C-alpha cells in the first residue's frame, strides 16, 4: 500500500512516499508564492525518486501552512499532528516534540502512540525560528554549515539581550564592530533562540524524551544550546534521517492509516 505526505511549510516544501513502513522517497525544495504548483512539483519529484507512478498511490495527506493548496491530496491535517506522528515513527519514546521551522516554533506533547495531546506555538515573531538564524547568518555572510560549526569553537557566548530579531541584528552588527569573535556571537544567538524554545517547551510541559524536528534541527549548535537550556539530552533520529522531513513523514503515516481504515490496501 502506497501512501504520501506533502508538507507545504512557510519556507520549505517536503514530500514523502511510504510503502507500508518503508520510506521509498523524500524530497525537500523551497516554498514559493504558488504553493499549489510547488506541491505538485515536490510530489512529482518524490514519485520519480521512488520510481512509482501517481496512479499507484492509494492515499495522500497535505499538511503545513499551504496544506489547503495541495489540491491532489485526499485530505489535509495540521502539521502539529504530523510532526508528532513522524517523530514517534523513529523515536517511540518521544513525548515532547519541538518543531523549529522557518517561520514558527511549536512545542508539541504526544502520547505513546504519537497522537497529539497539547501544543504551544510561537507564530507572531521571528525570534526563536529558522528565520532568525537565517537573518543572522546573512548579516555575518555565512552559510548554514559554517554558521553552525562556529558554535563549537572556543569562547564564551556573547549575551544577545534583544528579544526582537530586528534589534538583535543591530546588536550583532555592534558586536562585530566592537571586535567580538564570531563564535562567541553565534553561540550567543543560539543561546537566545534556545531560550525561546525552552520557554515554549516549559509552557507545554516537558516530558522526556524530547526531540527537535524541522529544518533548524540540522544545526548542531542549536541542539547543543537547547540541551544546555533544558538541562537534558535530546533524543537523536537514526543516522541518515533528515529531521526536516518529519512533518511530511507524519502526513504519509496518517495517509496510510486512513487508506487502511477505508479498506484501500
Ligand atoms: N542544513 C541546515 N542547517 C541549519 N538550518 C537549516 C538547514 N536547512 C534548513 N535549515 C533551516 O530550516 C528552516 C526551514 O525548516 P522547515 O522546512 O522545517 O520549515 P517550514 O516547515 O517551511 O516552516 P514552518 O513550519 O515555520 O512553516 C529554514 O529557516 C532554514 O533556515
Ligand atoms: Mg513546518
Amino acid at each position: 500500500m502506497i501512501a504520501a505526505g506533502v508538507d507545504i511549510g512557510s519556507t520549505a516544501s517536503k514530500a514523502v512516499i511510504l510503502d507500508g513502513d518503508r520510506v521509498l522517497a523524500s524530497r525537500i525544495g523551497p516554498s514559493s508564492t504558488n504553493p499549489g504548483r510547488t506541491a505538485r512539483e515536490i510530489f512529482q519529484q518524490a514519485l520519480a525518486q521512488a520510481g512509482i507512478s501517481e496512479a499507484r498511490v492509494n492515499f495522500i495527506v497535505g499538511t503545513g501552512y499551504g496544506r489547503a493548496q495541495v489540491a491532489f491530496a485526499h485530505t489535509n491535517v495540521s502539521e502539529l499532528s504530523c510532526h508528532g506522528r513522524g517523530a514517534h515513527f523513529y523515536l517511540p519514546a518521544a513525548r515532547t516534540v519541538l518543531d523549529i521551522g522557518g517561520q514558527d516554533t511549536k512545542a508539541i506533547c504526544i502520547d505513546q502512540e504519537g497522537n497529539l495531546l497539547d501544543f504551544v506555538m510561537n507564530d507572531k515573531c521571528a525570534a526563536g525560528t529558522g528565520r532568525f538564524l537565517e537573518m543572522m547568518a546573512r548579516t555575518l555572510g555565512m552559510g548554514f554549515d559554517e554558521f553552525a560549526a562556529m558554535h563549537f569553537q572556543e569562547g564564551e557566548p556573547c549575551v544577545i539581550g534583544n528579544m526582537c530579531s530586528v534589534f538583535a541584528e543591530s546588536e550583532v552588527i555592534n558586536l562585530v564592530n566592537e571586535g567580538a569573535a564570531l563564535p562567541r556571537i553565534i553561540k550567543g544567538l543560539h543561546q537566545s533562540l534556545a531560550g525561546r524554545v525552552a520557554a515554549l517547551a516549559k509552557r507545554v510541559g516537558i516530558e522526556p524524551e524530547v526531540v527537535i524536528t524541522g529544518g533548524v534541527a540540522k544545526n548542531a549548535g542549536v541542539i547543543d544550546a537547547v540541551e544546555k537550556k533544558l538541562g537534558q539530552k535530546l533524543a537523536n533520529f537514526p543516522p541518515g534521517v533528515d529531521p526536516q522531513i518529519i512533518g511530511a513523514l507524519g502526513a504519509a503515516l496518517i495517509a496510510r492509516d486512513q487508506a487502511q481504515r477505508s479498506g484501500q490496501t
Side-chain angles (χ1 to χ4, degrees):
M1 202 270 298
I2 309 284
V6 179
D7 176 3
I8 306 302
S10 63
T11 310
S13 295
K14 287 80 65 177
V16 167
I17 312 284
L18 270 186
D19 180 2
D21 251 356
R22 210 155 52 90
V23 177
L24 294 183
S26 65
R27 296 288 300 185
I28 302 175
S31 289
S32 74
T33 50
N34 189 337
R37 191 171 65 204
T38 304
R40 177 140 287 289
E41 284 169 2
I42 203 78
F43 178 53
Q44 294 297 343
Q45 286 175 23
L47 286 174
Q49 189 185 346
I52 57 167
S53 66
E54 189 171 343
R56 283 192 56 206
V57 182
N58 299 85
F59 211 92
I60 307 165
V61 166
T63 190
Y65 261 80
R67 62 182 177 271
Q69 308 304 320
V70 189
F72 52 91
H74 297 87
T75 187
N76 65 63
V77 175
S78 129
E79 64 259 43
L80 300 159
S81 304
C82 292
H83 278 269
R85 277 300 302 277
H88 173 266
F89 179 77
Y90 288 117
L91 301 167
R95 296 290 178 274
T96 310
V97 180
L98 307 173
D99 168 27
I100 315 181
Q103 195 165 285
D104 53 42
T105 296
K106 302 126 185 150
I108 302 161
C109 251
I110 57 173
D111 68 13
Q112 62 274 23
E113 267 133 37
N115 300 309
L116 179 72
L117 293 175
D118 198 3
F119 74 95
V120 181
M121 127 178 223
N122 158 34
D123 62 351
K124 296 277 185 292
C125 171
T129 70
R131 189 65 42 88
F132 174 78
L133 293 182
E134 273 176 44
M135 267 174 77
M136 302 306 167
R138 207 176 310 122
T139 303
L140 297 174
M142 280 182 210
F144 288 139
D145 292 346
E146 192 189 356
F147 188 88
M150 286 244 175
H151 179 91
F152 297 98
Q153 291 182 19
E154 259 175 48
E156 280 303 302
C158 292
V159 175
I160 310 286
N162 275 298
M163 288 304 234
C164 167
S165 41
V166 176
F167 290 126
E169 190 177 25
S170 315
E171 211 176 337
V172 164
I173 294 166
N174 285 341
L175 285 166
V176 168
N177 288 315
E178 283 162 12
L182 293 180
R184 294 188 54 223
I185 299 177
I186 289 169
K187 264 184 252 191
L189 289 167
H190 287 158
Q191 249 185 18
S192 159
L193 179 130
R196 285 266 171 157
V197 173
L200 218 57
K202 281 176 190 151
R203 273 173 58 203
V204 86
I206 301 165
E207 285 291 328
E209 296 180 348
V210 183
V211 62
I212 303 189
T213 61
V216 177
K218 288 191 266 197
N219 177 335
V222 169
I223 301 288
D224 178 65
V226 173
E227 284 182 338
K228 286 183 176 138
K229 279 277 183 225
L230 293 179
Q232 62 178 278
K233 283 274 168 203
L234 297 168
N236 289 314
F237 286 108
V241 173
D242 186 334
Q244 197 171 3
I245 60 106
I246 295 298
L249 171 68
L253 289 163
I254 293 169
R256 186 192 67 183
D257 290 355
Q258 297 216 1
Q260 278 165 353
R261 235 178 279 132
S262 65
Q264 296 182 42
T265 48

